[in-house]
Amino acid sequence: METINLKINGIAVTAPKGSTILEAARLAHIEIPTLCFLKEINEIGACRICIVELKNGKLVTSCVFPVEEGMEVFTNTPKVLDSRKKTIQLLLSNHNRSCLSCVRSGHCELQELAHELGVEDESYYDGEKTPSEVDYSAAHMIRDNSKCILCRRCVAVCENVQNIGVIGPNHRGFATDIGSAFEMGLGETSCVSCGQCIAVCPTGALTEKDYTADVFAAIADPSKHVIVQTAPAVRAGLGEEFGLPIGTDVKARWLPPCAVWALTRYLIPTSPLT
Ligand code: SF4
Ligand code: SF4
Ligand code: FES
């Protein structure tokens, strides 16, 4: 295999020819933040948060920029950090910043980067906001474009992994938003409710519908026998959640009482109660 020698932050790194700077950095355990990047699924260089500085002072997006022999790269210079901070401020300027009540708060990649980069003035570039409406039409999820950063990870996973392709960018420029053809609600499309787009979304733009209250109401109703039916992947996921070996099928096991919470989170979107 042909290799390339370069330096990242003064550290000698050898990477396979054709690697990107990001891949070379990860080989050397050097952290570079990313937002739009999803390995082998979405490598489009859209968000520019992974910016790094070359020896000649040029800023390049590390997730798409190939390594070259003798290259010298710096990942944390003042110029790099300033650029990343401005990128986050610009994203936040067209964002519904309702972190206090957002279901993603605490595990939102945008929020985490804003915190990490010391973004104190989140409204620095505030101006007009792209109009958007929340889409509640699907049984399993909610789409809220006011929290979308147009990273297109959802588009790529739907198209390239699930081979469904029911979402994509509509309109152009400042009006661009992610949606279905002819702006139909997701529930009117051939979406298969796999939830992969929710799993890859870095923000609170895509979330599961929460049926927790319905579950507790059904459990409390003496006229009902509450049963749960799950898909195999969900049973395996539940097992992992409770520390069982990967792949354990939990259907024949008694789960602890706290599993009720997990059941409501994981199962109900595909298992209506009757
Ligand atoms: S998506 Fe992230 S940054 Fe936006 S409101 Fe939710 S937690 Fe806050
Ligand atoms: S909905 Fe989420 S994953 Fe899709 S483009 Fe917007 S922020 Fe990215
Ligand atoms: S992660 Fe590289 S441009 Fe988005």
Side-chain angles (χ1 to χ4, degrees):
M1 181 179 50
E2 211 175 327
T3 56
I4 300 284
N5 299 301
L6 67 155
K7 277 189 178 168
I8 305 180
N9 299 343
I11 300 165
V13 178
T14 303
K17 190 177 179 193
S19 305
T20 61
I21 295 174
L22 179 67
E23 285 167 334
R26 286 184 175 177
L27 279 177
H29 306 289
I30 295 168
E31 183 68 30
I32 298 175
T34 57
L35 259 181
C36 67
F37 179 79
L38 256 193
K39 191 173 164 51
E40 290 169 13
I41 297 171
N42 198 44
E43 301 181 347
I44 58 173
C47 73
R48 299 186 67 80
I49 204 70
C50 67
I51 219 96
V52 293
E53 187 173 352
L54 303 184
K55 197 180 174 191
N56 62 10
K58 203 173 154 192
L59 294 178
V60 297
T61 43
S62 64
C63 70
V64 289
F65 202 91
V67 292
E68 289 164 18
E69 189 62 37
M71 180 183 245
E72 286 191 47
V73 179
F74 303 92
T75 66
N76 282 312
T77 63
K79 196 169 164 180
V80 165
L81 296 178
D82 186 52
S83 167
R84 288 184 192 151
K85 190 170 174 176
K86 284 196 170 83
T87 297
I88 294 292
Q89 283 175 313
L90 284 165
L91 286 172
L92 289 172
S93 73
N94 191 12
H95 190 87
N96 167 10
R97 302 182 297 259
S98 55
C99 295
L100 278 180
S101 57
C102 182
V103 71
R104 278 291 170 116
S105 191
H107 51 109
C108 167
E109 292 178 38
L110 179 62
Q111 188 188 49
E112 200 176 308
L113 277 169
H115 180 67
E116 198 177 301
L117 291 164
V119 174
E120 283 156 7
D121 189 355
E122 58 192 31
S123 56
Y124 191 76
Y125 292 112
D126 262 5
E128 201 184 336
K129 287 207 164 48
T130 308
S132 67
E133 280 176 23
V134 183
D135 178 6
Y136 296 98
S137 66
H140 63 299
M141 65 181 284
I142 299 168
R143 297 182 56 254
D144 182 357
N145 272 339
S146 69
K147 294 178 182 173
C148 174
I149 57 168
L150 297 175
C151 70
R152 305 185 190 204
R153 280 160 53 161
C154 57
V155 177
V157 81
C158 185
E159 174 80 34
N160 305 334
V161 178
Q162 300 304 91
N163 295 319
I164 307 294
V166 290
I167 43 172
N170 285 329
H171 313 293
R172 290 293 177 270
F174 187 71
T176 305
D177 63 13
I178 304 297
S180 310
F182 310 114
E183 301 187 19
M184 290 187 295
L186 193 65
E188 300 164 63
T189 70
S190 48
C191 165
V192 296
S193 310
C194 67
Q196 290 300 313
C197 55
I198 305 172
V200 299
C201 180
T203 71
L206 304 179
T207 51
E208 297 125 348
K209 272 192 180 162
D210 185 351
Y211 291 90
T212 309
D214 303 64
V215 174
F216 280 112
I219 290 170
D221 184 343
S223 70
K224 284 185 177 164
H225 292 283
V226 180
I227 58 165
V228 172
Q229 181 177 343
T230 67
V234 176
R235 292 198 292 268
L238 273 172
E240 286 167 30
E241 186 76 11
F242 288 97
L244 300 175
I246 288 172
T248 304
D249 183 348
V250 299
K251 74 178 177 201
R253 291 171 184 269
W254 286 105
L255 291 171
C258 60
V260 172
W261 177 85
L263 287 168
T264 61
R265 298 290 298 180
Y266 282 88
L267 309 182
I268 304 311
T270 52
S271 304
L273 291 172
T274 52

